[in-house]
Coordinates of all heavy atoms in Angstrom, one line a residue:
D11 N 10.4 66.7 -1.0 CA 10.6 65.3 -0.9 C 12.1 65.1 -0.4 O 12.5 64.2 0.4 CB 10.5 64.6 -2.3 CG 10.4 63.1 -2.1 OD1 9.7 62.6 -1.2 OD2 10.9 62.5 -3.1
H12 N 13.0 65.9 -1.0 CA 14.4 65.9 -0.7 C 14.6 66.2 0.9 O 15.4 65.6 1.7 CB 15.2 66.7 -1.5 CG 16.7 66.8 -1.1 ND1 17.5 65.7 -1.4 CD2 17.4 67.8 -0.6 CE1 18.8 66.0 -0.9 NE2 18.6 67.2 -0.5
E13 N 13.8 67.3 1.4 CA 13.9 67.7 2.7 C 13.3 66.6 3.7 O 13.9 66.4 4.8 CB 13.1 69.0 3.0 CG 13.8 70.2 2.3 CD 13.1 71.4 2.6 OE1 12.2 71.5 3.6 OE2 13.2 72.4 1.7
Q14 N 12.3 66.0 3.3 CA 11.7 64.9 4.1 C 12.7 63.7 4.2 O 12.8 63.1 5.3 CB 10.4 64.5 3.5 CG 9.5 63.5 4.4 CD 8.2 63.1 3.7 OE1 8.0 63.4 2.6 NE2 7.5 62.6 4.5
L15 N 13.5 63.4 3.2 CA 14.3 62.4 3.2 C 15.5 62.8 4.1 O 15.9 61.9 4.8 CB 14.9 62.1 1.8 CG 15.9 61.0 1.6 CD1 15.3 59.6 2.0 CD2 16.3 60.9 0.1
L16 N 15.9 63.9 4.0 CA 17.0 64.5 4.9 C 16.5 64.4 6.3 O 17.4 64.1 7.2 CB 17.4 65.9 4.5 CG 18.6 66.6 5.2 CD1 19.9 65.8 4.8 CD2 18.6 68.0 4.7
K17 N 15.4 64.8 6.6 CA 14.8 64.8 8.0 C 14.7 63.4 8.5 O 15.2 63.0 9.7 CB 13.5 65.4 8.0 CG 12.9 65.6 9.4 CD 11.5 66.3 9.4 CE 11.2 66.6 10.9 NZ 10.0 67.4 10.9
M18 N 14.4 62.4 7.7 CA 14.3 61.0 8.0 C 15.8 60.5 8.4 O 16.0 59.8 9.4 CB 13.7 60.2 7.0 CG 12.2 60.2 7.0 SD 11.4 59.3 5.7 CE 12.3 57.8 5.7
M19 N 16.7 60.9 7.6 CA 18.1 60.4 7.8 C 18.6 61.1 9.1 O 19.3 60.3 9.9 CB 18.9 60.9 6.6 CG 18.5 60.4 5.3 SD 19.4 59.0 4.7 CE 21.1 59.3 4.9
E20 N 18.3 62.2 9.4 CA 18.7 63.0 10.6 C 18.2 62.2 11.8 O 18.8 62.0 12.8 CB 18.4 64.4 10.6 CG 19.2 65.4 9.8 CD 18.7 66.7 9.7 OE1 17.6 67.1 10.3 OE2 19.4 67.5 9.1
E21 N 16.8 61.8 11.7 CA 16.2 61.2 12.9 C 16.8 59.8 13.1 O 17.2 59.4 14.1 CB 14.7 61.0 12.5 CG 14.0 62.3 12.7 CD 12.4 62.1 12.3 OE1 12.1 61.0 11.9 OE2 11.8 63.1 12.4
R22 N 17.1 59.1 11.9 CA 17.9 57.8 12.1 C 19.3 58.0 12.6 O 19.7 57.2 13.5 CB 18.0 57.2 10.7 CG 16.8 56.5 10.1 CD 17.1 55.7 8.9 NE 16.0 55.1 8.3 CZ 15.9 54.6 7.1 NH1 17.1 54.5 6.3 NH2 14.8 54.1 6.7
M23 N 19.9 58.9 12.2 CA 21.3 59.3 12.8 C 21.1 59.5 14.3 O 22.0 59.0 15.1 CB 22.0 60.5 12.1 CG 22.4 60.2 10.7 SD 23.9 59.3 10.8 CE 25.1 60.5 11.3
M24 N 20.2 60.3 14.8 CA 20.1 60.6 16.2 C 19.6 59.3 16.9 O 20.2 59.1 18.0 CB 19.0 61.7 16.4 CG 19.4 63.1 16.0 SD 18.4 64.4 16.4 CE 16.7 63.8 16.4
D25 N 18.9 58.5 16.3 CA 18.4 57.1 16.9 C 19.6 56.3 17.1 O 20.0 55.7 18.1 CB 17.4 56.6 16.0 CG 16.8 55.3 16.7 OD1 16.5 55.4 17.9 OD2 16.6 54.2 16.0
V26 N 20.5 56.3 16.0 CA 21.7 55.4 16.0 C 22.6 55.9 17.1 O 23.2 55.1 17.7 CB 22.3 55.3 14.6 CG1 23.8 54.8 14.7 CG2 21.4 54.5 13.6
E27 N 22.8 57.2 17.1 CA 23.7 57.8 18.1 C 23.2 57.5 19.6 O 24.1 57.3 20.4 CB 23.7 59.3 18.0 CG 24.6 59.7 16.8 CD 24.6 61.2 16.5 OE1 23.8 62.0 17.2 OE2 25.3 61.7 15.5
Q28 N 21.9 57.6 19.8 CA 21.4 57.2 21.1 C 21.6 55.8 21.4 O 22.0 55.5 22.5 CB 19.9 57.6 21.0 CG 19.3 57.4 22.5 CD 17.7 57.8 22.4 OE1 17.2 58.0 21.3 NE2 17.1 57.9 23.6
K29 N 21.4 55.0 20.4 CA 21.6 53.5 20.7 C 23.1 53.2 20.9 O 23.6 52.4 21.8 CB 21.2 52.7 19.5 CG 19.7 52.6 19.4 CD 19.2 51.8 18.2 CE 17.7 51.7 18.1 NZ 17.2 50.9 16.9
L30 N 24.0 53.9 20.3 CA 25.4 53.8 20.4 C 25.8 54.2 21.9 O 26.7 53.6 22.5 CB 26.2 54.6 19.4 CG 26.4 53.9 18.0 CD1 27.0 54.8 17.0 CD2 27.1 52.6 18.1
R31 N 25.2 55.3 22.3 CA 25.5 55.9 23.7 C 25.0 54.8 24.7 O 25.8 54.6 25.7 CB 24.9 57.3 23.9 CG 25.6 58.3 23.3 CD 25.1 59.7 23.8 NE 23.7 60.0 23.4 CZ 23.4 60.6 22.2 NH1 24.3 61.0 21.4 NH2 22.1 60.8 21.9
L32 N 24.0 54.2 24.4 CA 23.4 53.2 25.4 C 24.3 52.0 25.4 O 24.6 51.6 26.4 CB 21.9 52.8 25.0 CG 21.3 51.7 25.8 CD1 21.1 52.2 27.2 CD2 19.9 51.4 25.2
V33 N 24.7 51.5 24.2 CA 25.6 50.4 24.1 C 26.9 50.8 24.8 O 27.5 49.9 25.6 CB 25.8 49.9 22.6 CG1 26.9 49.1 22.5 CG2 24.5 49.4 22.1
K34 N 27.4 51.9 24.7 CA 28.7 52.4 25.2 C 28.5 52.3 26.7 O 29.4 51.8 27.4 CB 29.1 53.7 24.7 CG 30.4 54.1 25.2 CD 30.7 55.5 24.7 CE 32.1 56.0 25.3 NZ 32.5 57.3 24.7
R35 N 27.4 52.8 27.3 CA 27.1 52.8 28.7 C 27.0 51.4 29.2 O 27.7 51.1 30.3 CB 25.9 53.5 28.9 CG 25.8 53.9 30.5 CD 24.5 54.9 30.8 NE 24.1 55.7 29.6 CZ 22.8 55.7 29.2 NH1 21.9 55.1 29.9 NH2 22.5 56.5 28.2
L36 N 26.4 50.6 28.5 CA 26.2 49.1 29.0 C 27.6 48.4 28.9 O 28.0 47.6 29.8 CB 25.3 48.4 28.0 CG 23.8 48.8 28.1 CD1 22.9 48.0 27.1 CD2 23.2 48.4 29.5
L37 N 28.4 48.7 27.9 CA 29.7 48.1 27.9 C 30.6 48.6 29.0 O 31.4 47.9 29.5 CB 30.5 48.4 26.5 CG 29.8 47.7 25.3 CD1 30.5 48.1 24.0 CD2 30.2 46.2 25.4
Q38 N 30.5 49.9 29.3 CA 31.3 50.4 30.5 C 30.8 49.7 31.7 O 31.7 49.4 32.6 CB 31.1 52.0 30.5 CG 32.1 52.6 31.5 CD 33.5 52.3 31.2 OE1 34.0 52.5 30.1 NE2 34.3 51.8 32.2
E39 N 29.6 49.6 31.9 CA 29.2 48.8 33.1 C 29.7 47.4 33.1 O 30.1 46.9 34.2 CB 27.6 48.8 33.2 CG 27.0 50.1 33.4 CD 25.5 50.1 33.4 OE1 24.8 49.0 33.4 OE2 24.8 51.2 33.3
K40 N 29.7 46.7 32.1 CA 30.2 45.4 31.9 C 31.8 45.4 32.3 O 32.2 44.5 33.0 CB 30.0 44.8 30.5 CG 30.2 43.3 30.5 CD 29.5 42.6 31.6 CE 28.6 41.5 31.2 NZ 28.0 40.8 32.3
V41 N 32.4 46.4 31.8 CA 33.9 46.5 32.0 C 34.2 46.7 33.5 O 35.0 46.0 34.1 CB 34.5 47.6 31.1 CG1 35.9 48.0 31.6 CG2 34.6 47.3 29.7
N42 N 33.3 47.6 34.1 CA 33.4 47.8 35.6 C 33.2 46.5 36.3 O 33.9 46.2 37.3 CB 32.5 49.0 36.0 CG 32.9 50.3 35.4 OD1 34.1 50.5 35.1 ND2 32.0 51.2 35.4
Q43 N 32.1 45.7 35.9 CA 31.8 44.5 36.6 C 32.9 43.5 36.5 O 33.3 42.9 37.5 CB 30.5 44.0 36.0 CG 29.3 44.6 36.4 CD 28.0 44.0 35.6 OE1 28.2 43.1 34.8 NE2 26.9 44.4 36.0
L44 N 33.5 43.4 35.3 CA 34.6 42.5 35.1 C 35.9 42.9 35.9 O 36.6 42.0 36.3 CB 34.9 42.4 33.6 CG 33.9 41.7 32.6 CD1 34.2 41.8 31.2 CD2 33.6 40.2 33.2
K45 N 36.2 44.2 36.0 CA 37.3 44.7 36.7 C 37.0 44.3 38.2 O 37.9 43.9 38.9 CB 37.4 46.2 36.6 CG 38.0 46.6 35.2 CD 38.3 48.1 35.2 CE 38.8 48.6 34.0 NZ 38.9 50.1 33.8
E46 N 35.9 44.5 38.7 CA 35.5 44.2 40.1 C 35.7 42.7 40.3 O 36.3 42.2 41.3 CB 34.1 44.6 40.4 CG 33.8 44.4 41.9 CD 32.4 44.9 42.2 OE1 31.9 45.9 41.6 OE2 31.7 44.3 43.0
Q47 N 35.2 41.9 39.3 CA 35.4 40.4 39.4 C 36.8 40.0 39.4 O 37.2 39.1 40.2 CB 34.6 39.8 38.3 CG 34.5 38.2 38.4 CD 33.7 37.8 39.7 OE1 32.7 38.3 40.0 NE2 34.3 36.8 40.4
L48 N 37.6 40.6 38.5 CA 39.0 40.3 38.5 C 39.7 40.6 39.8 O 40.6 39.8 40.4 CB 39.7 41.1 37.4 CG 41.2 40.9 37.3 CD1 41.5 39.6 36.9 CD2 41.7 41.9 36.2
S49 N 39.3 41.8 40.4 CA 39.9 42.1 41.7 C 39.5 41.0 42.7 O 40.4 40.7 43.6 CB 39.3 43.5 42.1 OG 39.8 43.8 43.4
K50 N 38.3 40.7 42.8 CA 37.9 39.6 43.8 C 38.6 38.3 43.5 O 39.0 37.6 44.4 CB 36.4 39.4 43.7 CG 35.5 40.5 44.2 CD 34.0 40.2 44.0 CE 33.1 41.3 44.5 NZ 31.8 41.0 44.3
N51 N 38.7 37.9 42.2 CA 39.4 36.7 41.8 C 40.9 36.8 42.3 O 41.4 35.7 42.7 CB 39.3 36.4 40.4 CG 37.9 35.9 40.0 OD1 37.1 35.7 40.8 ND2 37.6 35.9 38.7
T52 N 41.5 37.8 42.1 CA 42.9 38.0 42.5 C 43.1 37.9 44.1 O 43.9 37.2 44.4 CB 43.5 39.5 42.1 OG1 43.2 39.6 40.7 CG2 44.9 39.7 42.4
K53 N 42.1 38.5 44.8 CA 42.1 38.3 46.2 C 41.8 36.9 46.7 O 42.6 36.4 47.5 CB 41.1 39.3 46.9 CG 41.4 40.7 46.8 CD 40.3 41.6 47.3 CE 40.6 43.1 47.2 NZ 39.5 43.9 47.5
A54 N 41.0 36.2 45.9 CA 40.7 34.9 46.3 C 41.9 34.0 46.0 O 42.2 33.1 46.6 CB 39.4 34.4 45.5
D55 N 42.5 34.2 44.9 CA 43.7 33.5 44.4 C 44.8 33.7 45.5 O 45.4 32.6 45.8 CB 44.2 34.0 43.1 CG 45.3 33.1 42.5 OD1 45.2 32.0 42.5 OD2 46.3 33.8 42.1
A56 N 45.0 34.8 46.0 CA 45.9 35.0 47.0 C 45.7 34.3 48.3 O 46.5 33.7 48.9 CB 46.2 36.5 47.3
V57 N 44.3 34.2 48.6 CA 43.8 33.5 49.8 C 44.1 31.9 49.6 O 44.6 31.2 50.5 CB 42.5 33.8 50.1 CG1 41.9 32.8 51.1 CG2 42.2 35.1 50.6
V58 N 43.8 31.5 48.4 CA 44.0 30.1 48.1 C 45.5 29.7 48.2 O 45.8 28.6 48.8 CB 43.4 29.8 46.7 CG1 43.9 28.4 46.2 CG2 42.0 29.8 46.7
K59 N 46.4 30.6 47.7 CA 47.8 30.3 47.7 C 48.2 30.3 49.2 O 49.1 29.4 49.6 CB 48.6 31.4 47.0 CG 48.4 31.2 45.5 CD 49.3 32.4 44.8 CE 49.0 32.2 43.2 NZ 49.7 33.3 42.5
D60 N 47.8 31.3 50.0 CA 48.2 31.3 51.4 C 47.7 29.9 52.1 O 48.4 29.5 53.0 CB 47.5 32.5 52.1 CG 48.2 33.8 51.8 OD1 49.3 33.8 51.2 OD2 47.6 34.9 52.0
L61 N 46.4 29.6 51.8 CA 45.9 28.4 52.4 C 46.7 27.1 52.0 O 46.9 26.2 52.8 CB 44.5 28.1 52.0 CG 43.5 29.1 52.8 CD1 42.1 28.9 52.2 CD2 43.5 28.9 54.2
Y62 N 47.1 27.1 50.7 CA 48.0 26.0 50.2 C 49.3 26.0 51.0 O 49.7 24.8 51.5 CB 48.3 26.2 48.7 CG 49.1 25.2 48.1 CD1 48.5 23.9 47.7 CD2 50.5 25.3 47.9 CE1 49.3 23.0 47.1 CE2 51.2 24.2 47.4 CZ 50.6 23.1 47.0 OH 51.3 22.1 46.4
V63 N 49.9 27.1 51.2 CA 51.2 27.1 51.9 C 51.0 26.7 53.4 O 51.7 25.9 54.0 CB 51.9 28.6 51.9 CG1 53.0 28.6 52.9 CG2 52.3 28.8 50.5
E64 N 49.9 27.2 54.0 CA 49.6 26.9 55.4 C 49.3 25.4 55.5 O 49.7 24.7 56.4 CB 48.4 27.7 55.9 CG 48.0 27.5 57.2 CD 46.9 28.3 57.8 OE1 46.4 29.3 57.1 OE2 46.4 28.0 58.8
N65 N 48.5 24.9 54.5 CA 48.3 23.4 54.5 C 49.5 22.6 54.5 O 49.7 21.5 55.2 CB 47.3 23.1 53.4 CG 46.8 21.7 53.4 OD1 46.3 21.3 54.5 ND2 46.9 20.9 52.4
A66 N 50.5 23.0 53.6 CA 51.8 22.2 53.5 C 52.5 22.4 54.9 O 53.0 21.3 55.3 CB 52.6 22.9 52.4
Q67 N 52.6 23.4 55.5 CA 53.2 23.6 56.8 C 52.5 22.6 57.8 O 53.2 22.1 58.7 CB 53.1 25.0 57.3 CG 54.0 26.0 56.5 CD 53.8 27.5 56.8 OE1 52.9 27.9 57.4 NE2 54.8 28.3 56.2
L68 N 51.1 22.7 57.8 CA 50.4 21.8 58.8 C 50.7 20.3 58.6 O 50.8 19.6 59.4 CB 48.9 22.0 58.6 CG 48.5 23.4 59.2 CD1 47.0 23.7 58.9 CD2 48.7 23.5 60.7
L69 N 50.8 19.9 57.2 CA 51.2 18.6 56.9 C 52.5 18.2 57.3 O 52.7 17.1 58.0 CB 51.0 18.3 55.5 CG 49.7 18.1 54.8 CD1 49.7 18.1 53.4 CD2 48.9 17.0 55.4
K70 N 53.5 19.1 57.2 CA 54.8 18.9 57.8 C 54.8 18.7 59.4 O 55.4 17.8 59.8 CB 55.7 19.9 57.4 CG 56.3 19.9 56.0 CD 57.2 21.0 55.6 CE 57.6 21.1 54.2 NZ 58.5 22.1 53.9
A71 N 54.0 19.6 60.0 CA 53.9 19.5 61.4 C 53.2 18.2 61.9 O 53.7 17.6 62.8 CB 53.1 20.8 62.0
L72 N 52.3 17.8 61.1 CA 51.5 16.6 61.4 C 52.5 15.4 61.2 O 52.6 14.5 62.1 CB 50.4 16.4 60.5 CG 49.5 15.1 60.7 CD1 49.0 15.0 62.1 CD2 48.4 15.0 59.7
E73 N 53.3 15.3 60.1 CA 54.2 14.3 60.0 C 55.2 14.2 61.1 O 55.6 13.2 61.6 CB 54.9 14.5 58.6 CG 54.1 14.2 57.5 CD 54.8 14.5 56.1 OE1 56.0 14.7 56.1 OE2 54.1 14.5 55.0
A74 N 55.7 15.4 61.5 CA 56.7 15.5 62.7 C 56.1 14.9 63.9 O 56.7 14.2 64.6 CB 57.2 16.9 62.8
T75 N 54.8 15.3 64.2 CA 54.2 14.9 65.4 C 53.9 13.4 65.3 O 54.2 12.6 66.3 CB 52.8 15.5 65.5 OG1 53.0 17.0 65.6 CG2 52.1 15.1 66.8
E76 N 53.6 12.7 64.1 CA 53.4 11.4 64.0 C 54.8 10.6 64.2 O 54.7 9.6 64.8 CB 52.8 11.0 62.6 CG 51.4 11.5 62.5 CD 50.8 11.2 61.0 OE1 51.7 11.1 60.1 OE2 49.6 11.2 60.8
Q77 N 55.9 11.2 63.8 CA 57.2 10.5 64.0 C 57.5 10.5 65.4 O 57.9 9.6 66.0 CB 58.2 11.3 63.2 CG 58.1 11.1 61.6 CD 58.2 9.6 61.3 OE1 59.0 8.9 61.7 NE2 57.4 9.2 60.3
R78 N 57.3 11.6 66.2 CA 57.5 11.8 67.6 C 56.7 10.7 68.3 O 57.1 10.1 69.3 CB 57.2 13.2 68.1 CG 58.4 14.1 67.7 CD 58.2 15.5 68.5 NE 57.0 16.1 68.4 CZ 56.8 17.1 67.4 NH1 57.8 17.4 66.6 NH2 55.6 17.7 67.3
Q79 N 55.5 10.6 67.9 CA 54.6 9.6 68.6 C 55.0 8.2 68.4 O 55.0 7.4 69.3 CB 53.1 9.8 68.1 CG 52.1 8.8 68.7 CD 50.7 8.9 68.1 OE1 50.4 9.7 67.3 NE2 49.9 8.0 68.7
K80 N 55.5 7.8 67.2 CA 56.0 6.5 66.9 C 57.3 6.2 67.8 O 57.4 5.1 68.3 CB 56.4 6.3 65.4 CG 55.1 6.2 64.6 CD 55.4 6.1 63.1 CE 54.3 6.0 62.2 NZ 54.7 5.9 60.7
R81 N 58.1 7.3 67.9 CA 59.3 7.1 68.6 C 58.9 6.9 70.1 O 59.5 6.1 70.8 CB 60.3 8.3 68.4 CG 61.1 8.3 67.2 CD 62.2 9.3 67.2 NE 61.8 10.7 67.5 CZ 61.4 11.5 66.5 NH1 61.4 11.2 65.3 NH2 61.0 12.8 66.8
A82 N 58.0 7.7 70.6 CA 57.6 7.6 72.0 C 57.0 6.1 72.1 O 57.2 5.6 73.3 CB 56.5 8.7 72.3
E83 N 56.2 5.7 71.3 CA 55.6 4.4 71.4 C 56.6 3.3 71.4 O 56.6 2.3 72.2 CB 54.5 4.1 70.3 CG 53.3 4.8 70.4 CD 52.3 4.8 69.1 OE1 52.7 4.1 68.2 OE2 51.2 5.4 69.2
R84 N 57.6 3.3 70.6 CA 58.8 2.5 70.6 C 59.5 2.4 71.9 O 59.8 1.4 72.5 CB 59.7 2.8 69.3 CG 59.3 2.2 68.1 CD 60.3 2.4 67.1 NE 60.8 3.6 66.8 CZ 60.4 4.3 65.7 NH1 59.6 3.7 64.8 NH2 60.8 5.5 65.5
R85 N 59.7 3.7 72.4 CA 60.5 3.8 73.7 C 59.6 3.2 74.8 O 60.2 2.5 75.7 CB 60.8 5.3 74.0 CG 61.9 5.9 73.2 CD 62.4 7.2 73.8 NE 62.8 8.0 72.6 CZ 62.2 9.2 72.3 NH1 61.3 9.7 72.9 NH2 62.7 9.9 71.2
N86 N 58.4 3.6 74.7 CA 57.4 3.0 75.8 C 57.4 1.4 75.7 O 57.4 0.8 76.8 CB 56.0 3.6 75.5 CG 55.1 3.2 76.7 OD1 55.5 3.4 77.8 ND2 53.8 2.9 76.3
H87 N 57.4 0.9 74.5 CA 57.5 -0.5 74.3 C 58.7 -1.2 75.0 O 58.7 -2.2 75.7 CB 57.3 -1.0 73.0 CG 57.3 -2.4 72.7 ND1 56.3 -3.3 73.1 CD2 58.2 -3.2 72.2 CE1 56.6 -4.5 72.7 NE2 57.7 -4.5 72.1
L88 N 59.9 -0.5 74.7 CA 61.1 -0.9 75.2 C 61.2 -0.9 76.8 O 61.6 -1.7 77.4 CB 62.3 -0.1 74.6 CG 62.6 -0.4 73.1 CD1 63.7 0.6 72.6 CD2 63.0 -1.8 72.9
L89 N 60.7 0.3 77.3 CA 60.6 0.4 78.8 C 59.7 -0.6 79.3 O 60.1 -1.2 80.5 CB 60.1 1.8 79.1 CG 61.0 3.0 78.9 CD1 60.4 4.3 79.1 CD2 62.3 2.8 79.8
E90 N 58.6 -1.0 78.7 CA 57.7 -2.0 79.2 C 58.4 -3.4 79.3 O 58.3 -4.1 80.2 CB 56.4 -2.1 78.4 CG 55.5 -1.0 78.7 CD 54.2 -0.9 77.8 OE1 54.1 -1.9 77.0 OE2 53.4 -0.1 78.0
E91 N 59.1 -3.7 78.2 CA 59.9 -5.0 78.2 C 61.1 -4.8 79.3 O 61.2 -5.9 80.0 CB 60.7 -5.0 76.9 CG 59.8 -5.4 75.7 CD 60.5 -5.6 74.4 OE1 61.7 -5.5 74.3 OE2 59.8 -5.8 73.3
K92 N 61.7 -3.8 79.5 CA 62.7 -3.7 80.6 C 62.0 -3.9 82.0 O 62.6 -4.6 82.8 CB 63.4 -2.4 80.5 CG 64.5 -2.2 79.2 CD 65.1 -0.8 79.4 CE 66.0 -0.8 78.2 NZ 66.6 0.5 78.1
I93 N 60.9 -3.4 82.1 CA 60.2 -3.4 83.4 C 59.8 -4.8 83.6 O 59.9 -5.4 84.8 CB 58.9 -2.5 83.4 CG1 59.4 -1.1 83.6 CG2 58.0 -2.9 84.6 CD1 58.2 -0.1 83.4
S94 N 59.3 -5.5 82.5 CA 58.9 -6.9 82.7 C 60.1 -7.7 83.0 O 60.0 -8.6 83.8 CB 58.3 -7.4 81.4 OG 58.0 -8.7 81.4
N95 N 61.3 -7.5 82.4 CA 62.5 -8.2 82.7 C 63.0 -7.9 84.1 O 63.4 -8.9 84.8 CB 63.6 -7.9 81.7 CG 63.3 -8.4 80.3 OD1 62.6 -9.4 80.2 ND2 63.9 -7.8 79.2
L96 N 62.9 -6.7 84.6 CA 63.3 -6.4 85.9 C 62.4 -7.1 86.9 O 62.8 -7.6 88.0 CB 63.3 -4.9 86.1 CG 64.4 -4.1 85.5 CD1 64.2 -2.5 85.7 CD2 65.8 -4.5 86.2
N97 N 61.1 -7.1 86.6 CA 60.1 -7.8 87.5 C 60.5 -9.3 87.6 O 60.4 -9.9 88.7 CB 58.7 -7.7 87.1 CG 58.2 -6.3 87.5 OD1 58.6 -5.7 88.3 ND2 57.1 -5.8 86.6
R98 N 60.9 -9.9 86.5 CA 61.3 -11.3 86.5 C 62.6 -11.5 87.4 O 62.6 -12.4 88.2 CB 61.6 -11.8 85.1 CG 60.4 -12.7 84.5 CD 60.8 -13.3 83.3 NE 60.0 -12.5 82.2 CZ 60.5 -11.9 81.1 NH1 61.8 -12.0 80.8 NH2 59.8 -11.3 80.3
I99 N 63.6 -10.6 87.1 CA 64.8 -10.6 88.0 C 64.5 -10.5 89.5 O 64.9 -11.3 90.2 CB 65.7 -9.6 87.5 CG1 66.3 -10.0 86.2 CG2 66.9 -9.5 88.4 CD1 67.1 -8.9 85.4
V100 N 63.7 -9.5 89.8 CA 63.3 -9.3 91.2 C 62.6 -10.5 91.8 O 62.8 -10.9 92.9 CB 62.4 -8.0 91.4 CG1 61.8 -7.9 92.7 CG2 63.2 -6.8 91.0
R101 N 61.6 -11.1 90.9 CA 61.0 -12.3 91.4 C 61.9 -13.4 91.7 O 61.7 -14.2 92.7 CB 59.8 -12.7 90.5 CG 58.6 -12.0 90.7 CD 57.4 -12.6 89.9 NE 56.8 -11.6 89.2 CZ 56.8 -11.5 87.8 NH1 57.3 -12.4 87.0 NH2 56.2 -10.4 87.2
S102 N 62.9 -13.6 90.8 CA 63.8 -14.7 90.8 C 64.7 -14.5 92.0 O 65.2 -15.4 92.8 CB 64.6 -14.9 89.6 OG 65.5 -13.9 89.4
L103 N 65.1 -13.2 92.4 CA 65.9 -12.9 93.4 C 65.2 -13.1 94.8 O 65.8 -13.5 95.8 CB 66.4 -11.5 93.4 CG 67.5 -11.3 92.3 CD1 67.8 -9.7 92.2 CD2 68.7 -12.0 92.6
A104 N 63.8 -12.8 94.8 CA 63.0 -12.9 95.9 C 62.6 -14.3 96.2 O 62.2 -14.6 97.4 CB 61.8 -12.0 95.8
A105 N 62.7 -15.2 95.3 CA 62.2 -16.6 95.5 C 63.3 -17.3 96.4 O 64.5 -17.1 96.3 CB 62.1 -17.3 94.2
P106 N 62.8 -18.1 97.3 CA 63.7 -18.8 98.2 C 64.5 -19.8 97.5 O 64.5 -20.4 96.6 CB 62.7 -19.6 99.3 CG 61.3 -19.4 98.7 CD 61.3 -18.4 97.6

């Protein structure tokens, strides 16, 4: 009876050890997956930061372009006024 109990305990121990090895293997796989995901996330984070910087630079360039366009439109408007005034002067000079 004592030997049978001992044999059962040994079988349980082997079963527990086998389950522990399986759990250890599963945990290692999960650790590897998480490391891989961390690596991907780190790369994605770097890309997002680069895009953020690039976006800021593009916004500055757009603002500068808009300012140049506004200046050009103001100059164009002033030139049109000058042309209109010159045309009036020419007409008045050409009139008999």
Side-chain angles (χ1 to χ4, degrees):
D11 196 39
H12 180 69
E13 287 182 23
Q14 192 175 11
L15 183 61
L16 186 62
K17 187 173 183 178
M18 281 177 48
M19 300 260 314
E20 286 176 357
E21 287 175 1
R22 278 189 186 170
M23 286 286 286
M24 289 190 328
D25 188 43
V26 167
E27 286 175 354
Q28 186 178 8
K29 286 179 181 177
L30 282 173
R31 282 192 293 273
L32 177 63
V33 167
K34 185 177 178 181
R35 199 173 333 128
L36 290 173
L37 286 173
Q38 187 59 49
E39 287 175 15
K40 192 52 124 175
V41 165
N42 292 341
Q43 287 175 354
L44 291 173
K45 283 181 181 178
E46 186 177 325
Q47 187 63 45
L48 177 63
S49 174
K50 288 178 183 177
N51 289 350
T52 302
K53 290 175 186 174
D55 186 50
V57 169
V58 167
K59 286 178 184 175
D60 289 345
L61 288 173
Y62 181 81
V63 169
E64 185 178 344
N65 189 48
Q67 292 169 344
L68 288 172
L69 283 173
K70 284 181 184 178
L72 178 62
E73 289 174 10
T75 301
E76 288 173 343
Q77 290 299 320
R78 284 194 300 271
Q79 181 180 354
K80 286 179 185 178
R81 284 195 301 273
E83 287 173 355
R84 280 192 294 259
R85 283 191 216 119
N86 190 37
H87 179 70
L88 290 173
L89 287 173
E90 286 175 359
E91 286 181 5
K92 287 180 181 180
I93 289 170
S94 177
N95 289 335
L96 285 173
N97 281 334
R98 258 188 255 124
I99 292 171
V100 167
R101 272 191 237 116
S102 69
L103 290 175

